[in-house]
Amino acid sequence: MHYPMRGCMLVVMDAHATPEDIQAVCTVIEDMGLQANTMPGPTRTAIGITGNKGAIAEAARLKLMPGVRDVIRVTAPYKLVSREYREADTIIEINGVQIGGPSLVVMAGPCSVEGRKQLLTTAEAVKAAGATILRGGAFKPRTSPYSFQGMGEDGLKLLAEARELTGMPVITEVMDTEQVDLVAEYADILQLGARNMQNFALLKRVGRTRRPVMLKRGLSSTVKDWLLSAEYIMAEGNQAVILCERGIRTFDDHSRGTFDLSVVPVLRELTHLPIIVDPSHATGRWQSILPMARAGIASGADGLMIEVHPNPAEAWSDGEQSLLPERFVELMEQVERIADAMDRPIQGRTKAATV
């Protein structure tokens, strides 16, 4: 069982600590009835202590052990999520695709799965252009109860088929606790949408799965709100969390939302988690997606989520913010130039990539 992290502690090992020193500290922590989470970093190894209800009475004992440089209390309100807790960036690997590493990842596909031909056509096109993760909604949270709500399990089956044909991992949204097991059966990454960012029962439930979770920022949420929601997931034992900026609600209405790219460098300081940006949902206009995708990569994000549809004019949801496949190729070509300037290659992208 995982308890609130009111007294979260971090054991910082000396740079010259031996594997035996590290194991001895882990053994003592486990003898206390707590969990030891070893986190090798570029300059140090740290051991996070989780499972405590409050302050750790035997912290002084740990300080005296061989190889221990310090025992510190994590002061941020979010503990496991914080850069204090983990120095090195988290890298999540799914079937050979890395999220959060030195290279960039592009997730692309239709807003909604509408049928086999539509999905497979889009999947083949985005893969040819250099995308490495396929997105597509089987369950759709819609503002209007009369709008298309998704194909449900039939849509999940089509996503699984597309994965088999293209080799791309699949990300799709889960909307409530009852859907988690079903969606996890088919998807490689579980997406929690903006409307569910503070659905605490759902956060805890996906935290008990071992599927990576992408958590979108709520429409009116602060950074602190967002990171505490990620903490809910991690506190349940799921360390594979991805953050996604998708635009927030402000007083202006020139676009669907305000694309808060200033949050990316702030997150870099506060958390070790990977950061994806979604210019499709942020702007709501296909004309704005390309320049905002360029800006998203320049801001330091670890990747993009882009909506692509073979015929946006007839899309069942969000056609106005979906790119035609040929426009997606143009986006990838331009984004690649930004990525090259930052020495961050795009996974799956080759110079000759075409649809």
Side-chain angles (χ1 to χ4, degrees):
M1 178 177 292
H2 296 271
Y3 297 98
M5 301 294 294
R6 293 188 296 272
C8 180
M9 304 295 288
L10 191 67
V11 180
V12 181
M13 303 300 293
D14 186 84
H16 303 294
T18 66
E20 292 75 20
D21 292 336
I22 295 169
Q23 182 55 52
V25 172
C26 291
T27 299
V28 169
I29 292 169
E30 289 164 1
D31 287 346
M32 297 176 189
L34 306 174
Q35 291 84 48
N37 305 283
T38 304
M39 298 172 288
T43 61
R44 68 182 189 187
T45 292
I47 305 170
I49 304 175
T50 61
N52 53 301
K53 297 180 182 180
I56 297 172
E58 298 185 66
R61 174 186 173 191
L62 293 172
K63 277 189 176 183
L64 299 175
M65 294 187 67
V68 174
R69 189 173 75 189
D70 201 1
V71 179
I72 60 176
R73 182 176 180 272
V74 178
T75 58
Y78 33 83
K79 308 302 182 183
L80 305 175
V81 164
S82 75
R83 183 71 75 175
E84 278 184 279
Y85 185 82
R86 181 181 174 90
E87 180 188 29
D89 290 340
T90 288
I91 300 174
I92 298 168
E93 185 164 342
I94 307 163
N95 299 334
V97 178
Q98 288 190 341
I99 305 172
S103 57
L104 303 173
V105 65
V106 178
M107 308 174 181
C111 175
S112 300
V113 178
E114 300 167 5
R116 186 174 186 273
K117 181 179 179 181
Q118 171 251 14
L119 180 63
L120 297 186
T121 297
T122 309
E124 290 168 359
V126 299
K127 181 180 181 182
T132 45
I133 296 176
L134 177 64
R135 66 141 296 147
F139 296 97
K140 297 299 302 178
R142 305 301 299 279
T143 302
S144 170
Y146 307 113
S147 299
F148 175 60
Q149 306 289 313
M151 293 181 64
E153 187 171 6
D154 289 340
L156 293 173
K157 290 177 179 178
L158 290 175
L159 286 167
E161 181 182 356
R163 176 179 54 215
E164 291 301 312
L165 292 174
T166 64
M168 288 192 293
V170 165
I171 179 170
T172 194
E173 184 164 356
V174 56
M175 291 172 49
D176 61 50
T177 55
E178 294 180 359
Q179 292 175 354
V180 171
D181 288 338
L182 175 64
V183 176
E185 181 181 344
Y186 293 97
D188 300 288
I189 307 171
L190 307 180
Q191 175 183 307
L192 266 60
R195 295 171 179 85
N196 271 319
M197 192 205 80
Q198 289 186 309
N199 181 338
F200 300 118
L202 182 57
L203 294 171
K204 291 179 180 179
R205 183 65 186 81
V206 297
R208 293 193 291 273
T209 73
R210 291 302 173 261
R211 286 275 189 256
V213 177
M214 188 171 81
L215 180 65
K216 287 197 164 187
R217 185 181 183 182
L219 297 172
S220 302
S221 298
T222 66
V223 170
K224 181 179 177 181
D225 294 337
W226 191 10
L227 293 179
L228 283 170
S229 289
E231 187 82 7
Y232 266 90
I233 299 170
M234 295 187 72
E236 293 293 329
N238 189 339
Q239 307 300 301
V241 179
I242 306 154
L243 302 173
C244 180
E245 163 60 33
R246 49 82 67 210
I248 55 175
R249 182 167 292 163
T250 64
F251 63 88
D252 212 339
D253 61 359
H254 71 277
S255 63
R256 182 172 182 173
T258 296
F259 199 18
D260 185 13
L261 290 181
S262 67
V263 81
V264 176
V266 171
L267 290 173
R268 281 273 173 251
E269 294 180 19
L270 297 178
T271 182
H272 52 86
L273 298 177
I275 307 160
I276 299 295
V277 295
D278 178 356
S280 299
H281 278 87
T283 67
R285 306 172 65 249
W286 70 263
Q287 298 93 333
S288 299
I289 293 172
L290 194 155
M292 290 298 96
R294 293 195 306 253
I297 295 303
S299 73
D302 295 306
L304 301 168
M305 173 171 267
I306 305 292
E307 292 193 350
V308 181
H309 194 286
N311 188 358
E314 296 185 6
W316 295 358
S317 63
D318 288 349
E320 65 277 8
Q321 65 188 42
S322 298
L323 296 181
L324 286 162
E326 54 266 32
R327 289 184 176 132
F328 180 67
V329 171
E330 181 184 2
L331 179 147
M332 294 295 285
E333 290 171 348
Q334 293 197 21
V335 163
E336 186 171 43
R337 296 184 196 128
I338 306 294
D340 287 346
M342 300 178 69
D343 295 322
R344 298 192 74 185
I346 300 176
Q347 297 175 65
R349 174 75 181 163
T350 63
K351 299 295 182 181
T354 58
V355 288

mmCIF file of all heavy atoms in Angstrom, residues 243-263:
data_model
loop_
_atom_site.group_PDB
_atom_site.id
_atom_site.type_symbol
_atom_site.label_atom_id
_atom_site.label_comp_id
_atom_site.label_asym_id
_atom_site.label_seq_id
_atom_site.Cartn_x
_atom_site.Cartn_y
_atom_site.Cartn_z
ATOM 1 N N LEU A 243 3.813 13.999 -19.355
ATOM 2 C CA LEU A 243 3.000 15.200 -19.275
ATOM 3 C C LEU A 243 2.721 15.733 -20.679
ATOM 4 O O LEU A 243 3.600 15.672 -21.541
ATOM 5 C CB LEU A 243 3.711 16.271 -18.449
ATOM 6 C CG LEU A 243 4.076 15.876 -17.013
ATOM 7 C CD1 LEU A 243 4.917 16.978 -16.371
ATOM 8 C CD2 LEU A 243 2.829 15.607 -16.187
ATOM 9 N N CYS A 244 1.526 16.268 -20.894
ATOM 10 C CA CYS A 244 1.183 16.810 -22.209
ATOM 11 C C CYS A 244 0.504 18.168 -22.066
ATOM 12 O O CYS A 244 -0.577 18.266 -21.479
ATOM 13 C CB CYS A 244 0.280 15.856 -22.982
ATOM 14 S SG CYS A 244 -0.178 16.457 -24.628
ATOM 15 N N GLU A 245 1.139 19.198 -22.601
ATOM 16 C CA GLU A 245 0.549 20.542 -22.676
ATOM 17 C C GLU A 245 -0.326 20.613 -23.926
ATOM 18 O O GLU A 245 0.153 20.404 -25.037
ATOM 19 C CB GLU A 245 1.658 21.601 -22.721
ATOM 20 C CG GLU A 245 1.232 22.977 -23.194
ATOM 21 C CD GLU A 245 0.148 23.627 -22.343
ATOM 22 O OE1 GLU A 245 0.122 23.384 -21.108
ATOM 23 O OE2 GLU A 245 -0.668 24.370 -22.905
ATOM 24 N N ARG A 246 -1.625 20.936 -23.740
ATOM 25 C CA ARG A 246 -2.562 20.935 -24.852
ATOM 26 C C ARG A 246 -3.391 22.223 -24.936
ATOM 27 O O ARG A 246 -4.446 22.260 -25.550
ATOM 28 C CB ARG A 246 -3.482 19.708 -24.767
ATOM 29 C CG ARG A 246 -4.125 19.483 -23.411
ATOM 30 C CD ARG A 246 -5.353 20.289 -23.140
ATOM 31 N NE ARG A 246 -6.456 19.884 -24.005
ATOM 32 C CZ ARG A 246 -7.404 20.684 -24.420
ATOM 33 N NH1 ARG A 246 -7.432 21.947 -24.029
ATOM 34 N NH2 ARG A 246 -8.372 20.244 -25.202
ATOM 35 N N GLY A 247 -2.869 23.276 -24.300
ATOM 36 C CA GLY A 247 -3.578 24.547 -24.331
ATOM 37 C C GLY A 247 -4.473 24.711 -23.120
ATOM 38 O O GLY A 247 -5.084 23.750 -22.647
ATOM 39 N N ILE A 248 -4.545 25.924 -22.622
ATOM 40 C CA ILE A 248 -5.376 26.224 -21.463
ATOM 41 C C ILE A 248 -6.399 27.297 -21.823
ATOM 42 O O ILE A 248 -6.276 27.989 -22.834
ATOM 43 C CB ILE A 248 -4.528 26.681 -20.257
ATOM 44 C CG1 ILE A 248 -3.632 27.870 -20.635
ATOM 45 C CG2 ILE A 248 -3.712 25.525 -19.719
ATOM 46 C CD1 ILE A 248 -2.866 28.455 -19.471
ATOM 47 N N ARG A 249 -7.397 27.443 -20.990
ATOM 48 C CA ARG A 249 -8.471 28.401 -21.242
ATOM 49 C C ARG A 249 -8.098 29.760 -20.657
ATOM 50 O O ARG A 249 -7.793 29.886 -19.468
ATOM 51 C CB ARG A 249 -9.773 27.889 -20.621
ATOM 52 C CG ARG A 249 -10.972 28.789 -20.865
ATOM 53 C CD ARG A 249 -12.241 28.057 -20.510
ATOM 54 N NE ARG A 249 -12.509 26.963 -21.442
ATOM 55 C CZ ARG A 249 -13.352 25.965 -21.191
ATOM 56 N NH1 ARG A 249 -13.977 25.901 -20.029
ATOM 57 N NH2 ARG A 249 -13.556 25.024 -22.083
ATOM 58 N N THR A 250 -8.101 30.778 -21.508
ATOM 59 C CA THR A 250 -7.858 32.146 -21.061
ATOM 60 C C THR A 250 -8.985 33.035 -21.593
ATOM 61 O O THR A 250 -9.960 32.544 -22.171
ATOM 62 C CB THR A 250 -6.493 32.663 -21.563
ATOM 63 O OG1 THR A 250 -6.502 32.718 -22.995
ATOM 64 C CG2 THR A 250 -5.359 31.755 -21.107
ATOM 65 N N PHE A 251 -8.835 34.365 -21.439
ATOM 66 C CA PHE A 251 -9.910 35.279 -21.858
ATOM 67 C C PHE A 251 -9.993 35.409 -23.373
ATOM 68 O O PHE A 251 -11.014 35.834 -23.907
ATOM 69 C CB PHE A 251 -9.709 36.664 -21.238
ATOM 70 C CG PHE A 251 -8.440 37.334 -21.678
ATOM 71 C CD1 PHE A 251 -8.415 38.107 -22.826
ATOM 72 C CD2 PHE A 251 -7.274 37.209 -20.935
ATOM 73 C CE1 PHE A 251 -7.258 38.730 -23.237
ATOM 74 C CE2 PHE A 251 -6.106 37.826 -21.347
ATOM 75 C CZ PHE A 251 -6.088 38.589 -22.498
ATOM 76 N N ASP A 252 -8.916 35.055 -24.092
ATOM 77 C CA ASP A 252 -8.911 35.268 -25.539
ATOM 78 C C ASP A 252 -9.597 34.114 -26.257
ATOM 79 O O ASP A 252 -9.668 32.995 -25.748
ATOM 80 C CB ASP A 252 -7.470 35.408 -26.038
ATOM 81 C CG ASP A 252 -7.365 36.342 -27.222
ATOM 82 O OD1 ASP A 252 -8.399 36.541 -27.884
ATOM 83 O OD2 ASP A 252 -6.276 36.881 -27.472
ATOM 84 N N ASP A 253 -10.102 34.394 -27.464
ATOM 85 C CA ASP A 253 -10.837 33.366 -28.206
ATOM 86 C C ASP A 253 -10.386 33.268 -29.658
ATOM 87 O O ASP A 253 -11.125 32.782 -30.508
ATOM 88 C CB ASP A 253 -12.350 33.638 -28.142
ATOM 89 C CG ASP A 253 -12.732 34.979 -28.760
ATOM 90 O OD1 ASP A 253 -11.831 35.710 -29.219
ATOM 91 O OD2 ASP A 253 -13.943 35.289 -28.787
ATOM 92 N N HIS A 254 -9.155 33.730 -29.943
ATOM 93 C CA HIS A 254 -8.684 33.651 -31.325
ATOM 94 C C HIS A 254 -8.316 32.230 -31.725
ATOM 95 O O HIS A 254 -8.177 31.931 -32.910
ATOM 96 C CB HIS A 254 -7.470 34.571 -31.529
ATOM 97 C CG HIS A 254 -6.222 34.081 -30.844
ATOM 98 N ND1 HIS A 254 -5.981 34.318 -29.504
ATOM 99 C CD2 HIS A 254 -5.178 33.360 -31.297
ATOM 100 C CE1 HIS A 254 -4.828 33.773 -29.166
ATOM 101 N NE2 HIS A 254 -4.318 33.172 -30.235
ATOM 102 N N SER A 255 -8.163 31.355 -30.742
ATOM 103 C CA SER A 255 -7.897 29.942 -31.012
ATOM 104 C C SER A 255 -8.617 29.115 -29.959
ATOM 105 O O SER A 255 -9.195 29.655 -29.010
ATOM 106 C CB SER A 255 -6.389 29.646 -30.995
ATOM 107 O OG SER A 255 -5.840 29.904 -29.723
ATOM 108 N N ARG A 256 -8.596 27.819 -30.132
ATOM 109 C CA ARG A 256 -9.322 26.950 -29.206
ATOM 110 C C ARG A 256 -8.852 27.144 -27.774
ATOM 111 O O ARG A 256 -9.646 27.114 -26.834
ATOM 112 C CB ARG A 256 -9.138 25.495 -29.648
ATOM 113 C CG ARG A 256 -9.876 24.478 -28.800
ATOM 114 C CD ARG A 256 -9.794 23.093 -29.415
ATOM 115 N NE ARG A 256 -10.546 22.123 -28.626
ATOM 116 C CZ ARG A 256 -10.760 20.864 -29.002
ATOM 117 N NH1 ARG A 256 -10.280 20.430 -30.153
ATOM 118 N NH2 ARG A 256 -11.445 20.048 -28.241
ATOM 119 N N GLY A 257 -7.560 27.295 -27.590
ATOM 120 C CA GLY A 257 -6.994 27.535 -26.271
ATOM 121 C C GLY A 257 -5.756 28.394 -26.403
ATOM 122 O O GLY A 257 -5.397 28.828 -27.505
ATOM 123 N N THR A 258 -5.113 28.668 -25.287
ATOM 124 C CA THR A 258 -3.833 29.374 -25.296
ATOM 125 C C THR A 258 -2.735 28.347 -25.099
ATOM 126 O O THR A 258 -2.696 27.650 -24.085
ATOM 127 C CB THR A 258 -3.785 30.429 -24.177
ATOM 128 O OG1 THR A 258 -4.787 31.420 -24.435
ATOM 129 C CG2 THR A 258 -2.426 31.094 -24.117
ATOM 130 N N PHE A 259 -1.874 28.222 -26.095
ATOM 131 C CA PHE A 259 -0.810 27.216 -26.083
ATOM 132 C C PHE A 259 0.303 27.728 -25.176
ATOM 133 O O PHE A 259 1.085 28.598 -25.569
ATOM 134 C CB PHE A 259 -0.314 27.010 -27.514
ATOM 135 C CG PHE A 259 0.436 25.733 -27.750
ATOM 136 C CD1 PHE A 259 0.355 24.660 -26.877
ATOM 137 C CD2 PHE A 259 1.221 25.580 -28.894
ATOM 138 C CE1 PHE A 259 1.030 23.475 -27.112
ATOM 139 C CE2 PHE A 259 1.892 24.405 -29.146
ATOM 140 C CZ PHE A 259 1.808 23.356 -28.255
ATOM 141 N N ASP A 260 0.390 27.189 -23.983
ATOM 142 C CA ASP A 260 1.303 27.696 -22.963
ATOM 143 C C ASP A 260 2.672 27.034 -23.091
ATOM 144 O O ASP A 260 3.064 26.213 -22.247
ATOM 145 C CB ASP A 260 0.709 27.475 -21.571
ATOM 146 C CG ASP A 260 1.558 28.099 -20.476
ATOM 147 O OD1 ASP A 260 2.449 28.905 -20.806
ATOM 148 O OD2 ASP A 260 1.326 27.786 -19.294
ATOM 149 N N LEU A 261 3.433 27.439 -24.101
ATOM 150 C CA LEU A 261 4.757 26.859 -24.286
ATOM 151 C C LEU A 261 5.752 27.349 -23.249
ATOM 152 O O LEU A 261 6.799 26.728 -23.050
ATOM 153 C CB LEU A 261 5.273 27.158 -25.695
ATOM 154 C CG LEU A 261 4.548 26.423 -26.823
ATOM 155 C CD1 LEU A 261 5.160 26.780 -28.167
ATOM 156 C CD2 LEU A 261 4.598 24.912 -26.609
ATOM 157 N N SER A 262 5.436 28.448 -22.565
ATOM 158 C CA SER A 262 6.324 28.907 -21.492
ATOM 159 C C SER A 262 6.402 27.903 -20.354
ATOM 160 O O SER A 262 7.327 27.940 -19.536
ATOM 161 C CB SER A 262 5.854 30.257 -20.953
ATOM 162 O OG SER A 262 4.603 30.135 -20.290
ATOM 163 N N VAL A 263 5.442 26.968 -20.307
ATOM 164 C CA VAL A 263 5.440 25.983 -19.235
ATOM 165 C C VAL A 263 6.529 24.921 -19.427
ATOM 166 O O VAL A 263 6.958 24.292 -18.454
ATOM 167 C CB VAL A 263 4.048 25.311 -19.131
ATOM 168 C CG1 VAL A 263 3.877 24.206 -20.177
ATOM 169 C CG2 VAL A 263 3.817 24.730 -17.748
#
